[in-house]
Amino acid sequence: MSSAESFNYSDFLKNLTNQPGVYRMYNQKQDVIYVGKAKNLKKRVSSYFRKNLDSIKTRSLVSQIHDMDVTVVNSEVEAFILENNYIKKYKPRYNVLLRDDKSYPFIFLSAHEHPRLSNHRGPRKLKGEYFGPYPSAWAVRESLRTMQRIFPIRQCEDSYYRARTRPCLQYQLKRCAGPCVEGLVSDDEYSEQVNLARLFLKGKNKQVIDSLVKKMEGASENLQFESAARYRDQISALSKIQEQQWVSGDQQELDVFGFAYRNGIASIYGLFIRDNKLLGSKSFYPKVPAQSSAEEVFQSFILQFYLAGNKLIPKQIVIPQELAEQEAIEVLLSQEAGRKIQFFKGAREEKRRYLQMANNNAENALIAKQTQQKSVHARFVELEQILEFEQPIQRMECFDISHTSGQLTVASCVVFNRDGPYKTDYRRYNIEGITPGDDYAAMAQALARRYRDVKDETKIPDILFIDGGKGQLAQAEDYFENWTHAKTPLLIGVAKGTSRKAGLETLILAGSHQTIPMAGDSIALHLIQHIRDEAHRFAITGHRERRQKDKNTSKLESIPGIGAKKRQSLLKYMGGLQGILQASKDELTKVPGISEDLAETIYDHLHH
């Protein structure tokens, strides 16, 4: 019996301490269903077993408790950290979960003799300067692309830079000063551009422009008109960027969060300001258990967001509502950041303007999310009616196969839940050891690799779509014939019509092989087309990546006397296949392990 009656809470509470700590609640299957923290464990845990519980969510939670355990800590701050670690580890169903908790990227300026600008994510162990964090890899790429047009600093890999003996295309495009080749740029000139880029990344655009104006005037007076024109172009590009900066102010370092919460959907919108400049923004949609309060949702988000690691916690954080344990969280974040962190409610003019903008964006994002969910929900409901499902469909998967004339076959598996595509669970499989072009064998191998180690029944789909006709469907039928799990997916083949046009697909039910009639304008059919098209896209993308990788190495694999280690060494020191193709025989001999005879063999093989 999975209820609180099966848990002797009276005995448990008798021996419970009054110290701070973290508690975990388990259901009958010994799954962690809730993690909580408390200043006083006995007082907090006792509150769950009162006779009159106000919250429907708490009553539902307590009814499923089969066991509990606690971990005693020294302080409330330690309890916050341990609670967050447990939530990340167990992902309990009754906790608010921030699904996007990965680290944020930085722009990295290396400490080399000729520094390199690059995108960096992960531990900051390399020597150099880090600017950010940026809200997405796209924001970093856009910033690097902008900087490449203004400051001719190298962005190439170190192995590529070391192997150059002549300038690459970026030099021809005037996007790199060419420090890899002696004589193209002096060390002083390159350092000057690096210093300007550093100031730009710190938000000191006016200082950069003033410096460039002086240099332009000095170059003109010395009749160095080419240099003057180059400085003029830099000034023009920087001025345009200043005009395009749609948010600017006096705030050095600030995160601002807007919040909207209705009908069980939470939308949080973050603005990230560093060095007086908006680096970007991002929407978050935490997974929220039913009947959760707005206070619980927002505080859980703040804790999980900043304790996820590798995020620069700003000195000031503007929030739309006070946190229940705000003082303790300020202390915790100050300890994590190694400096004083404060929360603000946006009372003053500039912070109020940012907060209003963030709240408006959170509200708009919530409306868009609700509209999307209504659309997806309606499609699921219609599909359940057509297929006569007694229980709501929670998970669907679809397989597809992609190859070129039977070569480099890739199988894809995409996953949809009631919110739409669930990309975390997408998988690709490189298919090996089959007859080229045998799609049936490819499908059989992909199914076996996908489901052979399933332990969690929630990962077994309610419906499994197979992109193909009866032959492909038969592979799935054969695989699931000896299926040992209690839950078995409904198998449906999605065969294209004779004209291969959308809306004319034939849906084939496993077992009877009867077709499932659906109108061309059916929203349930649109859902099936969506998952089928997503599987097709994901398979083709994987196949193209595999084909490109094969293209980059196949020319080297056929060279006599070149094994895996020498291939790796050549690619590393020459900066890829293109660098090897452009290299002379003398340049090839500079690669470790490549003799003059071997360099001649490589050169002749590649060019003749």
Side-chain angles (χ1 to χ4, degrees), residues 23 68 120 150 161 239 281 292 362 431 471 504 511 545 582 596:
Y23 54 91
M68 284 186 70
H120 178 87
I150 303 170
Y161 161 75
S239 299
S281 58
S292 297
I431 304 299
L504 299 177
E545 288 173 2
Q582 292 174 356
E596 287 186 15

Side-chain angles (χ1 to χ4, degrees), residues 216-332:
M216 181 181 71
E217 290 170 349
S220 296
E221 288 172 8
N222 294 326
L223 307 181
Q224 296 171 342
F225 298 118
E226 282 188 19
S227 296
R230 192 167 62 247
Y231 290 132
R232 178 202 62 204
D233 293 342
Q234 283 184 290
I235 293 163
S236 175
L238 278 166
S239 299
K240 282 181 183 175
I241 286 169
Q242 273 196 322
E243 288 168 12
Q244 292 165 0
Q245 184 67 42
W246 60 279
V247 175
S248 60
D250 300 323
Q251 300 299 330
Q252 275 287 106
E253 193 176 270
L254 190 69
D255 282 357
V256 185
F257 292 103
F259 181 51
Y261 180 45
R262 277 195 309 279
N263 303 324
I265 303 173
S267 166
I268 297 161
Y269 190 86
L271 295 170
F272 306 98
I273 297 157
R274 299 292 182 273
D275 300 313
N276 306 330
K277 188 167 62 175
L278 179 74
L279 294 188
S281 58
K282 190 167 186 175
S283 290
F284 302 89
Y285 305 98
K287 184 182 175 187
V288 179
Q291 307 298 322
S292 297
S293 67
E295 293 76 17
E296 178 191 358
V297 172
F298 190 71
Q299 179 166 301
S300 296
F301 165 81
I302 289 291
L303 282 166
Q304 291 181 46
F305 181 78
Y306 284 115
L307 295 179
N310 200 36
K311 286 191 179 75
L312 184 68
I313 305 176
K315 293 176 183 176
Q316 301 180 38
I317 303 169
V318 180
I319 52 176
Q321 60 186 46
E322 198 162 312
L323 304 174
E325 297 162 289
Q326 188 161 305
E327 285 185 20
I329 294 172
E330 281 184 347
V331 172
L332 167 64

Side-chain angles (χ1 to χ4, degrees), residues 78-89:
E78 284 184 21
F80 273 125
I81 295 171
L82 185 59
E83 178 196 34
N84 183 69
N85 290 339
Y86 279 156
I87 289 171
K88 281 202 294 186
K89 181 178 179 180

Side-chain angles (χ1 to χ4, degrees), residues 249-477:
D250 300 323
Q251 300 299 330
Q252 275 287 106
E253 193 176 270
L254 190 69
D255 282 357
V256 185
F257 292 103
F259 181 51
Y261 180 45
R262 277 195 309 279
N263 303 324
I265 303 173
S267 166
I268 297 161
Y269 190 86
L271 295 170
F272 306 98
I273 297 157
R274 299 292 182 273
D275 300 313
N276 306 330
K277 188 167 62 175
L278 179 74
L279 294 188
S281 58
K282 190 167 186 175
S283 290
F284 302 89
Y285 305 98
K287 184 182 175 187
V288 179
Q291 307 298 322
S292 297
S293 67
E295 293 76 17
E296 178 191 358
V297 172
F298 190 71
Q299 179 166 301
S300 296
F301 165 81
I302 289 291
L303 282 166
Q304 291 181 46
F305 181 78
Y306 284 115
L307 295 179
N310 200 36
K311 286 191 179 75
L312 184 68
I313 305 176
K315 293 176 183 176
Q316 301 180 38
I317 303 169
V318 180
I319 52 176
Q321 60 186 46
E322 198 162 312
L323 304 174
E325 297 162 289
Q326 188 161 305
E327 285 185 20
I329 294 172
E330 281 184 347
V331 172
L332 167 64
L333 296 186
S334 297
Q335 283 186 11
E336 288 288 305
R339 55 187 175 156
K340 186 171 174 60
I341 305 298
Q342 285 182 288
F343 287 104
F344 294 87
K345 290 191 288 184
R348 298 198 175 180
E349 186 179 348
E350 192 173 0
K351 289 188 177 73
R352 186 168 65 246
R353 182 163 56 90
Y354 286 138
L355 183 58
Q356 186 178 0
M357 184 191 304
N359 275 325
N360 289 341
N361 278 286
E363 181 64 31
N364 291 335
L366 179 66
I367 292 168
K369 188 76 171 175
Q370 284 181 320
T371 304
Q372 180 201 352
Q373 283 204 345
K374 283 177 186 173
S375 172
V376 173
H377 178 75
R379 292 177 179 189
F380 267 83
V381 169
E382 185 172 302
L383 184 60
E384 286 159 0
Q385 291 170 350
I386 291 170
L387 298 177
E388 299 179 352
F389 259 73
E390 293 180 3
Q391 299 293 328
I393 297 169
Q394 299 297 340
R395 183 183 178 100
M396 303 190 299
E397 298 189 4
C398 184
F399 280 80
D400 191 21
I401 306 292
S402 180
H403 58 75
T404 302
S405 303
Q407 301 301 312
L408 306 173
T409 303
V410 172
S412 71
C413 175
V414 300
V415 181
F416 274 43
N417 60 20
R418 293 188 85 86
D419 293 327
Y422 186 54
K423 296 190 177 182
T424 306
D425 280 6
Y426 281 22
R427 295 293 181 271
R428 285 198 194 105
Y429 304 96
N430 289 337
I431 304 299
E432 306 287 358
I434 64 168
T435 304
D438 188 348
D439 286 0
Y440 297 161
M443 182 63 71
Q445 186 180 130
L447 288 164
R449 289 169 64 181
R450 174 68 171 173
Y451 299 114
R452 66 188 170 199
D453 295 322
V454 174
K455 290 172 185 168
D456 183 358
E457 287 212 346
T458 62
K459 299 289 185 182
I460 300 172
D462 298 297
I463 303 176
L464 176 56
F465 292 105
I466 304 294
D467 188 14
K470 292 178 182 177
Q472 294 281 43
L473 182 60
Q475 300 303 316
E477 290 175 310

